[in-house]
Amino acid sequence: VQTEYFLSDGRVLQRNAPAPGMDTYDVDFSATSGESSRWNQGPRPSYRNRKEQAAKLLIYTTPAFAEDTELAGWPVVTLQMSTLTTDPSVFAYLEDIAPDGTVTYVTEGLIRAVNRKLADPKTLPYDPGPAPHSFLRGDALAIVPGEKFSLAFKMFAVAALIKKGHALRLAIAGADSGTLRRLSHAPAERFDIFTGAGGSKLSLPLRAWK
């Protein structure tokens, strides 16, 4: 079952749609998923410093879960946003927050915003899951700086137990330094993220743990 959370004022994720708002994020191009992420060849991936990355990211957090909960499937991020440049990339991390503040990586997703056009799944040679994109050059959509657009993309499928008392956090970035190439060579980037009713949201495949 997909459960929708709205990005809201106060950097929270909430079930009920609040009043519209907007958060501004000046992209920190030093943000990184680290040298032992899923993108690097070598030992088993390890994300040990997610708590330290928090200051470099735009973060929204759910309330603590009242019971053990299963997260299984594709989380989907939908952003209503505008940017400072014509070729932004958007990274999103889903993280588990323990009662003692420990931050554990759960999964992530990313997209080059010009590839945001949603595709008809029937035209693709594979099962794309939710929020499919063709990534074809002919389907690219230009970005006009300062002009609002909609961007939806899935995170990598995952199965995890979110324990009672833990929360989930959506962390948004505009770079993954040392891991993935920076596409825009503009000196700065800014994301204006529209929140509340009619704005940005996170859809999570959740159900009670059995």
Side-chain angles (χ1 to χ4, degrees):
V1 177
Q2 293 294 120
T3 302
E4 290 190 346
Y5 288 86
F6 294 88
L7 279 61
S8 308
D9 286 346
R11 307 292 173 84
V12 298
L13 292 167
Q14 64 182 67
R15 296 291 308 280
N16 297 324
M22 187 184 76
D23 287 323
T24 294
Y25 169 57
D26 292 312
V27 170
D28 188 330
F29 287 105
S30 70
T32 180
S33 59
E35 297 180 355
S36 300
S37 72
R38 67 164 66 231
W39 304 106
N40 295 288
Q41 295 181 353
R44 182 178 179 180
S46 174
Y47 295 79
R48 297 179 179 175
N49 298 314
R50 298 306 302 167
K51 190 172 182 178
E52 297 178 9
Q53 288 296 314
K56 300 180 180 182
L57 309 175
L58 178 62
I59 288 170
Y60 298 86
T61 308
T62 69
F65 282 74
E67 61 180 354
D68 288 353
T69 302
E70 181 181 22
L71 169 70
W74 283 292
V76 178
V77 179
T78 301
L79 299 177
Q80 304 295 331
M81 63 185 296
S82 64
T83 62
L84 190 65
T85 75
T86 61
D87 195 11
S89 296
V90 179
F91 300 78
Y93 303 91
L94 187 64
E95 300 163 339
D96 176 291
I97 313 300
D100 65 359
T102 300
V103 179
T104 302
Y105 168 97
V106 177
T107 188
E108 69 187 272
L110 67 160
I111 192 170
R112 186 178 184 179
V114 295
N115 290 323
R116 67 190 184 278
K117 182 179 179 180
L118 294 175
D120 179 352
K122 296 178 181 178
T123 67
L124 301 178
Y126 53 88
D127 179 3
H133 306 89
S134 73
F135 301 102
L136 295 173
R137 186 182 299 273
D139 285 339
L141 298 175
I143 301 290
V144 178
E147 187 173 294
K148 184 177 178 181
F149 60 89
S150 180
L151 176 72
F153 60 100
K154 62 181 175 290
M155 295 179 164
F156 295 113
V158 65
L161 166 62
I162 312 303
K163 294 183 179 179
K164 178 181 177 179
H166 288 230
L168 285 172
R169 186 168 81 180
L170 173 66
I172 297 171
D176 189 349
S177 178
T179 304
L180 298 171
R181 181 168 61 92
R182 181 174 167 180
L183 298 176
S184 173
H185 297 289
E189 178 62 276
R190 185 186 69 243
F191 295 169
D192 288 331
I193 306 293
F194 296 89
T195 62
S200 304
K201 60 186 179 181
L202 172 66
S203 181
L204 296 175
L206 299 174
R207 64 182 180 181
W209 181 263
K210 296 181 180 180

